Amino acid sequence: MPLEAPLQAVAERVDHLNRRYQHHAASAVLKRAMTDPQVGRIAMVSSFGAESVALLHMVAVVDPTTPVLFIDTQMLFPETLVYQQEVAAKLGLTDVRVIRAAEDEVAQEDPYGALHLSNTDACCDLRKTRPLEKALSGFDAWITGRKRFQAGSRAALEFFENEEDKRIKVNPLAHWEKTDVQDYLINNRLPKHPLIAQGYPSIGCRPCTSKVKPGEDERAGRWRGTQKEECGIHMVDGKMVRIGAQQ
């Protein structure tokens, strides 16, 4: 939203926001982030994955004109692409921006679409990290749907994060449990991603996502066989998480 005063340093704003809202509910944190001039220009980044619709709904309730950045890696499941359009229409989101890697960069670095077979880190960087960084260049903050329970790398996740002193990253659902998400979906009659019923509780790109067996961690199907937990667009302890970074 329009700024009423110069923004303070990102670190100062993040510390203040976390202290003030550490005991608040997700909806209060989200509304604060979307309406406080000191947060600045804000967008939501969504994969339209397994649990994305909960936060998308919350954003739509506050302001359906909020920019929503959807990264189309051009390797997503067809079901995700259809689901994205259906959810955006149902929720009345009016500014969904489809983000893709630059064609010349793909042609040079992954001309055959096989980069993920040899270097998943480089593939994520090409198709997710760099396109998102360009898309976020005009924003002061962005909203994510990350939660502590999803992975070990997220165990200490806070509502507000400092992203390299460039932007604030807002995680309104950081303290939610799996049951909180499911209750919200049911209570608001929100449509589930069709792949959930097929054994995909966490959904990313088709080549790097597999079904999860009963008893496994819900993200076990992401980059199976590696210690990679994140695609690279997020920060953990001030560092970009890439393949090998947690090995």
Side-chain angles (χ1 to χ4, degrees):
M1 63 184 295
L3 304 182
E4 298 178 357
L7 294 175
Q8 295 176 312
V10 172
E12 294 178 16
R13 287 182 283 144
V14 166
D15 288 343
H16 172 76
L17 289 164
N18 277 324
R19 287 197 305 270
R20 183 171 181 180
Y21 286 89
Q22 61 180 325
H23 300 302
H24 283 63
S27 57
V29 172
L30 180 63
K31 187 173 182 180
R32 169 73 173 185
M34 294 175 65
T35 58
D36 188 341
Q38 280 298 308
V39 173
R41 299 159 296 181
I42 192 168
M44 177 179 178
V45 176
S46 179
S47 65
F48 285 80
E51 298 176 342
S52 299
V53 69
L55 186 55
L56 285 163
H57 179 265
M58 295 173 69
V59 167
V61 169
V62 178
D63 183 1
T65 69
T66 302
V68 176
L69 310 183
F70 169 58
I71 307 175
D72 179 5
T73 63
Q74 298 180 292
M75 288 189 168
L76 298 176
F77 288 90
E79 291 88 343
T80 296
L81 299 176
V82 174
Y83 183 67
Q84 180 268 309
Q85 295 182 358
E86 293 177 347
V87 168
K90 179 178 178 62
L91 300 183
L93 297 167
T94 61
D95 191 6
V96 177
R97 307 178 188 184
V98 180
I99 309 302
R100 298 188 180 95
E103 292 184 4
D104 59 334
E105 294 181 6
V106 173
Q108 179 178 358
E109 300 176 39
D110 193 14
Y112 305 109
L115 183 58
H116 65 280
L117 296 175
S118 59
N119 192 333
T120 54
D121 180 44
C123 186
C124 286
D125 184 62
L126 169 65
R127 297 177 179 276
K128 294 182 180 180
T129 308
R130 277 184 268 162
L132 179 60
E133 180 60 29
K134 292 178 182 178
L136 285 171
S137 62
F139 295 98
D140 303 298
W142 55 295
I143 304 164
T144 90
R146 293 187 303 156
K147 309 164 195 69
R148 289 184 172 186
F149 77 82
Q150 290 175 320
S153 61
R154 303 179 179 184
L157 191 67
E158 298 290 350
F159 285 134
F160 299 91
E161 290 181 273
N162 177 357
E163 185 181 48
E164 297 184 306
D165 293 325
K166 295 185 299 183
R167 283 179 294 269
I168 293 176
K169 190 150 52 176
V170 185
N171 310 302
L173 308 185
H175 302 288
W176 273 25
E177 299 293 341
K178 183 72 173 179
T179 53
D180 296 320
V181 179
Q182 297 307 313
D183 288 346
Y184 191 91
L185 296 179
I186 294 171
N187 293 337
N188 291 281
R189 300 181 180 180
L190 298 175
K192 292 186 178 181
H193 194 298
L195 289 179
I196 295 177
Q198 298 181 36
Y200 296 89
S202 181
I203 303 162
C205 293
R206 181 167 51 180
C208 298
T209 304
S210 60
K211 293 184 178 181
V212 172
K213 300 176 183 178
E216 284 188 313
D217 181 89
E218 69 166 23
R219 287 177 66 86
R222 304 290 295 276
W223 306 286
R224 187 179 290 278
T226 75
Q227 293 186 31
K228 182 178 173 71
E229 294 185 17
E230 302 277 6
C231 63
I233 67 174
H234 294 297
M235 305 287 289
V236 174
D237 294 330
K239 298 181 180 180
M240 187 71 76
V241 179
R242 300 184 186 280
I243 189 168
Q246 299 195 25
Q247 293 179 337

